[in-house]
Amino acid sequence: MKQSRPQVPVITVDGPSGSGKGTLCRLLARELGWNLLDSGALYRLVGIAARNHGVGIDNHAALEVLAGHLDVQFQPGADDAGDVRVVLEGEDVTGVVRSEEVGALASQVGAVAAVRAALLDRQRAFCVLPGLVADGRDMGTEVFPEAELKVFLTASPEERAARRFRQLIDKGDAVSLPRLVADIETRDRRDLERSVSPLRPSPEAVLIDTTGVSIADVFARLMSLARERGLA
Ligand code: C5P
Protein backbone atom coordinates (compact mmCIF):
# COMPACT_ATOMS: atom_id res chain seq x y z
CA MET A 1 0.00 0.00 0.00
CA LYS A 2 1.18 3.51 -0.71
CA GLN A 3 2.41 5.47 2.28
CA SER A 4 0.13 8.32 3.32
CA ARG A 5 2.59 10.83 4.72
CA PRO A 6 1.16 14.32 4.21
CA GLN A 7 2.85 16.02 1.28
CA VAL A 8 4.36 19.37 2.24
CA PRO A 9 4.19 21.81 -0.69
CA VAL A 10 7.48 23.56 -1.49
CA ILE A 11 8.34 26.58 -3.63
CA THR A 12 12.05 27.00 -4.32
CA VAL A 13 13.54 30.35 -5.33
CA ASP A 14 17.16 30.23 -6.45
CA GLY A 15 19.44 32.80 -8.02
CA PRO A 16 22.49 34.96 -7.49
CA SER A 17 23.00 37.66 -4.88
CA GLY A 18 20.82 40.73 -5.46
CA SER A 19 18.34 38.96 -7.73
CA GLY A 20 15.51 39.80 -5.30
CA LYS A 21 15.15 36.33 -3.77
CA GLY A 22 15.24 37.40 -0.13
CA THR A 23 12.52 40.06 -0.40
CA LEU A 24 10.30 37.97 -2.66
CA CYS A 25 10.59 34.85 -0.50
CA ARG A 26 9.61 36.82 2.60
CA LEU A 27 6.59 38.25 0.77
CA LEU A 28 5.57 34.85 -0.59
CA ALA A 29 5.90 33.10 2.78
CA ARG A 30 3.85 35.82 4.45
CA GLU A 31 1.13 35.80 1.78
CA LEU A 32 0.82 32.00 1.77
CA GLY A 33 1.28 31.64 5.56
CA TRP A 34 4.11 29.15 4.91
CA ASN A 35 7.51 28.61 6.56
CA LEU A 36 10.56 30.34 5.17
CA LEU A 37 14.05 28.89 4.76
CA ASP A 38 16.81 31.47 4.26
CA SER A 39 19.51 28.94 3.41
CA GLY A 40 22.09 31.69 2.81
CA ALA A 41 21.82 32.58 6.50
CA LEU A 42 22.97 29.05 7.43
CA TYR A 43 26.07 29.33 5.20
CA ARG A 44 26.72 32.79 6.63
CA LEU A 45 26.46 31.41 10.18
CA VAL A 46 28.93 28.62 9.41
CA GLY A 47 31.27 31.36 8.13
CA ILE A 48 30.90 33.37 11.36
CA ALA A 49 31.33 30.25 13.53
CA ALA A 50 34.51 29.34 11.61
CA ARG A 51 35.90 32.82 12.13
CA ASN A 52 35.00 32.81 15.85
CA HIS A 53 36.64 29.44 16.39
CA GLY A 54 39.71 30.25 14.30
CA VAL A 55 38.91 27.46 11.82
CA GLY A 56 40.53 27.97 8.40
CA ILE A 57 38.57 27.53 5.16
CA ASP A 58 40.80 24.61 4.18
CA ASN A 59 40.08 22.68 7.40
CA HIS A 60 37.13 20.77 5.94
CA ALA A 61 36.80 18.30 8.81
CA ALA A 62 36.44 21.09 11.39
CA LEU A 63 34.05 23.04 9.12
CA GLU A 64 31.89 19.93 8.78
CA VAL A 65 31.66 19.63 12.59
CA LEU A 66 30.75 23.32 12.91
CA ALA A 67 28.07 23.04 10.21
CA GLY A 68 26.63 19.86 11.72
CA HIS A 69 26.37 21.37 15.22
CA LEU A 70 25.41 24.99 14.53
CA ASP A 71 23.99 26.33 17.79
CA VAL A 72 21.64 28.92 16.33
CA GLN A 73 18.30 30.38 17.28
CA PHE A 74 16.06 32.50 15.09
CA GLN A 75 14.02 34.65 17.51
CA PRO A 76 11.21 37.09 16.71
CA GLY A 77 12.48 40.70 16.80
CA ALA A 78 11.31 43.33 19.29
CA ASP A 79 8.80 44.97 16.92
CA ASP A 80 6.02 43.41 14.84
CA ALA A 81 7.72 43.95 11.47
CA GLY A 82 8.48 40.24 11.07
CA ASP A 83 12.15 40.89 11.84
CA VAL A 84 14.16 37.98 13.16
CA ARG A 85 17.01 38.12 15.67
CA VAL A 86 19.79 35.64 14.93
CA VAL A 87 21.61 34.26 17.95
CA LEU A 88 24.71 32.12 17.35
CA GLU A 89 26.26 30.34 20.34
CA GLY A 90 24.50 32.81 22.65
CA GLU A 91 25.74 35.88 20.74
CA ASP A 92 23.36 38.17 18.84
CA VAL A 93 24.80 38.28 15.31
CA THR A 94 21.77 39.93 13.65
CA GLY A 95 23.78 43.04 12.78
CA VAL A 96 26.62 41.23 11.04
CA VAL A 97 25.03 38.17 9.47
CA ARG A 98 24.01 39.99 6.27
CA SER A 99 27.23 42.00 5.88
CA GLU A 100 29.33 41.69 2.71
CA GLU A 101 32.28 40.41 4.70
CA VAL A 102 30.20 37.53 6.08
CA GLY A 103 28.73 36.93 2.58
CA ALA A 104 32.27 36.38 1.29
CA LEU A 105 32.96 33.90 4.12
CA ALA A 106 29.68 32.12 3.35
CA SER A 107 30.60 31.68 -0.29
CA GLN A 108 33.93 30.13 0.73
CA VAL A 109 32.45 27.64 3.22
CA GLY A 110 29.63 26.97 0.71
CA ALA A 111 32.20 25.59 -1.75
CA VAL A 112 33.11 22.81 0.74
CA ALA A 113 31.20 19.59 -0.04
CA ALA A 114 31.27 18.40 3.60
CA VAL A 115 29.64 21.66 4.75
CA ARG A 116 26.87 21.35 2.16
CA ALA A 117 26.22 17.74 3.18
CA ALA A 118 26.19 18.66 6.89
CA LEU A 119 23.57 21.38 6.27
CA LEU A 120 21.19 19.20 4.21
CA ASP A 121 19.12 17.74 7.06
CA ARG A 122 18.93 21.07 8.84
CA GLN A 123 17.55 22.70 5.70
CA ARG A 124 15.07 19.87 5.07
CA ALA A 125 13.82 20.17 8.66
CA PHE A 126 12.17 23.48 7.63
CA CYS A 127 9.87 21.52 5.31
CA VAL A 128 6.78 21.25 7.50
CA LEU A 129 3.09 21.95 6.93
CA PRO A 130 1.44 24.07 5.72
CA GLY A 131 4.33 24.58 3.25
CA LEU A 132 7.80 25.97 2.64
CA VAL A 133 9.30 28.79 0.62
CA ALA A 134 13.02 28.01 0.24
CA ASP A 135 15.51 30.74 -0.73
CA GLY A 136 19.00 29.81 -1.94
CA ARG A 137 21.29 28.65 -4.72
CA ASP A 138 20.55 24.92 -4.89
CA MET A 139 17.06 24.65 -3.41
CA GLY A 140 15.46 23.33 -6.62
CA THR A 141 18.42 21.22 -7.75
CA GLU A 142 19.70 19.55 -4.56
CA VAL A 143 17.78 20.27 -1.39
CA PHE A 144 14.15 20.06 -2.56
CA PRO A 145 14.25 18.41 -6.00
CA GLU A 146 10.57 17.40 -5.61
CA ALA A 147 9.35 21.00 -5.16
CA GLU A 148 5.98 21.81 -6.76
CA LEU A 149 7.21 25.15 -8.09
CA LYS A 150 10.81 26.10 -8.86
CA VAL A 151 11.81 29.61 -9.76
CA PHE A 152 15.20 30.93 -10.82
CA LEU A 153 15.64 34.70 -10.58
CA THR A 154 18.30 36.66 -12.41
CA ALA A 155 19.11 40.34 -12.96
CA SER A 156 21.96 42.20 -14.61
CA PRO A 157 25.14 42.39 -12.48
CA GLU A 158 24.88 46.22 -12.41
CA GLU A 159 21.34 46.15 -11.07
CA ARG A 160 22.15 43.46 -8.51
CA ALA A 161 25.11 45.47 -7.23
CA ALA A 162 22.98 48.63 -7.05
CA ARG A 163 20.28 46.76 -5.06
CA ARG A 164 22.82 45.37 -2.60
CA PHE A 165 24.36 48.83 -2.31
CA ARG A 166 21.01 50.36 -1.30
CA GLN A 167 20.32 47.54 1.16
CA LEU A 168 23.71 47.96 2.85
CA ILE A 169 23.50 51.75 2.96
CA ASP A 170 19.99 51.53 4.47
CA LYS A 171 21.44 49.21 7.11
CA GLY A 172 24.10 51.82 7.88
CA ASP A 173 27.06 49.83 6.48
CA ALA A 174 29.86 51.83 4.84
CA VAL A 175 30.33 50.30 1.37
CA SER A 176 31.76 51.51 -1.92
CA LEU A 177 29.86 50.64 -5.11
CA PRO A 178 32.95 49.63 -7.18
CA ARG A 179 34.11 47.42 -4.32
CA LEU A 180 30.64 45.86 -4.10
CA VAL A 181 30.58 45.14 -7.85
CA ALA A 182 33.96 43.38 -7.52
CA ASP A 183 32.78 41.40 -4.45
CA ILE A 184 29.59 40.31 -6.22
CA GLU A 185 31.58 39.20 -9.29
CA THR A 186 33.93 37.14 -7.09
CA ARG A 187 31.00 35.57 -5.23
CA ASP A 188 29.09 34.84 -8.48
CA ARG A 189 32.14 33.21 -9.99
CA ARG A 190 32.72 31.04 -6.92
CA ASP A 191 29.03 30.03 -6.76
CA LEU A 192 28.89 29.24 -10.49
CA GLU A 193 32.20 27.41 -10.78
CA ARG A 194 32.31 25.32 -7.61
CA SER A 195 32.30 21.60 -8.28
CA VAL A 196 29.65 20.83 -5.64
CA SER A 197 26.08 22.14 -6.17
CA PRO A 198 27.04 25.04 -8.45
CA LEU A 199 24.50 27.80 -8.94
CA ARG A 200 22.39 26.73 -11.92
CA PRO A 201 18.66 26.56 -12.65
CA SER A 202 16.91 23.24 -12.32
CA PRO A 203 15.62 22.12 -15.76
CA GLU A 204 12.05 22.54 -14.41
CA ALA A 205 12.63 26.04 -13.06
CA VAL A 206 10.72 29.06 -14.34
CA LEU A 207 13.38 31.66 -15.23
CA ILE A 208 12.52 35.26 -14.41
CA ASP A 209 14.79 38.19 -15.26
CA THR A 210 14.01 40.90 -12.70
CA THR A 211 16.16 43.61 -14.33
CA GLY A 212 14.07 46.79 -14.40
CA VAL A 213 11.02 44.97 -12.98
CA SER A 214 9.49 46.10 -9.69
CA ILE A 215 9.27 43.76 -6.71
CA ALA A 216 5.47 44.13 -6.85
CA ASP A 217 5.38 42.90 -10.46
CA VAL A 218 7.68 39.94 -9.81
CA PHE A 219 5.63 39.07 -6.73
CA ALA A 220 2.41 39.15 -8.78
CA ARG A 221 4.02 36.80 -11.31
CA LEU A 222 5.12 34.38 -8.57
CA MET A 223 1.65 34.38 -7.02
CA SER A 224 0.09 33.66 -10.39
CA LEU A 225 2.50 30.74 -10.90
CA ALA A 226 1.61 29.48 -7.41
CA ARG A 227 -2.11 29.71 -8.23
CA GLU A 228 -1.61 27.89 -11.57
CA ARG A 229 -0.07 25.00 -9.62
CA GLY A 230 -2.82 24.96 -7.04
CA LEU A 231 -0.56 26.21 -4.26
CA ALA A 232 -2.41 29.42 -3.45
O1 C5P B 1 21.92 34.32 -0.23
P1 C5P B 1 23.10 34.85 0.54
O2 C5P B 1 23.72 36.08 -0.03
O3 C5P B 1 22.78 35.02 1.99
O4 C5P B 1 24.20 33.69 0.46
C1 C5P B 1 25.51 33.89 0.88
C2 C5P B 1 26.42 32.88 0.21
O5 C5P B 1 26.12 31.58 0.73
C3 C5P B 1 26.24 32.75 -1.30
O6 C5P B 1 27.10 33.61 -2.03
C4 C5P B 1 26.59 31.30 -1.57
O7 C5P B 1 27.96 31.15 -1.81
C5 C5P B 1 26.26 30.59 -0.28
N1 C5P B 1 25.02 29.84 -0.41
C6 C5P B 1 25.08 28.59 -0.97
N2 C5P B 1 23.96 27.83 -1.07
C7 C5P B 1 22.78 28.29 -0.65
C8 C5P B 1 22.68 29.59 -0.09
C9 C5P B 1 23.83 30.35 0.00
O8 C5P B 1 26.15 28.16 -1.37
N3 C5P B 1 21.71 27.50 -0.73
Side-chain angles (χ1 to χ4, degrees):
M1 215 169 75
K2 254 191 123 205
Q3 47 116 353
S4 60
R5 209 148 50 95
Q7 171 91 18
V8 179
V10 178
I11 298 177
T12 58
V13 184
D14 290 304
S17 170
S19 55
K21 290 175 294 130
T23 308
L24 286 157
C25 284
R26 270 194 304 279
L27 289 171
L28 263 184
R30 198 169 59 192
E31 180 71 17
L32 298 170
W34 289 8
N35 305 294
L36 173 65
L37 166 62
D38 172 3
S39 61
L42 296 177
Y43 287 92
R44 286 168 179 269
L45 289 163
V46 175
I48 298 177
R51 189 177 60 185
N52 289 351
H53 291 279
V55 170
I57 298 298
D58 43 5
N59 188 346
H60 294 188
L63 287 177
E64 180 179 10
V65 173
L66 285 180
H69 297 86
L70 263 189
D71 169 15
V72 60
Q73 286 156 8
F74 296 97
Q75 301 174 347
D79 51 30
D80 274 349
D83 288 346
V84 172
R85 255 172 23 99
V86 187
V87 178
L88 177 67
E89 296 172 355
E91 184 197 350
D92 188 336
V93 296
T94 318
V96 292
V97 72
R98 299 235 62 91
S99 70
E100 269 312 286
E101 193 200 345
V102 170
L105 280 176
S107 107
Q108 291 176 64
V109 300
V112 177
V115 169
R116 304 200 75 83
L119 287 179
L120 263 185
D121 285 348
R122 187 179 280 260
Q123 294 175 89
R124 289 182 177 148
F126 282 77
C127 187
V128 286
L129 288 169
L132 176 69
V133 178
D135 162 351
R137 303 291 187 291
D138 60 344
M139 299 294 100
T141 49
E142 301 289 340
V143 185
F144 302 108
E146 314 287 330
E148 279 73 11
L149 172 60
K150 301 180 184 183
V151 176
F152 193 90
L153 298 181
T154 55
S156 71
E158 296 76 20
E159 180 149 338
R160 292 192 288 113
R163 287 177 187 165
R164 279 296 288 154
F165 184 69
R166 276 196 302 273
Q167 270 175 4
L168 292 167
I169 294 288
D170 288 349
K171 221 160 63 69
D173 286 5
V175 279
S176 97
L177 188 56
R179 170 88 201 277
L180 196 56
V181 171
D183 285 353
I184 284 188
E185 278 172 359
T186 309
R187 206 134 66 88
D188 280 359
R189 202 170 324 112
R190 208 181 280 127
D191 289 352
L192 287 164
E193 291 176 359
R194 68 180 172 222
S195 55
V196 45
S197 306
L199 172 66
R200 62 177 167 81
S202 152
E204 304 102 57
V206 180
L207 266 62
I208 302 179
D209 185 344
T210 68
T211 312
V213 187
S214 71
I215 287 288
D217 286 352
V218 184
F219 178 61
R221 174 88 203 281
L222 294 182
M223 282 304 297
S224 108
L225 286 168
R227 275 191 290 272
E228 274 168 25
R229 311 227 170 162
L231 302 171

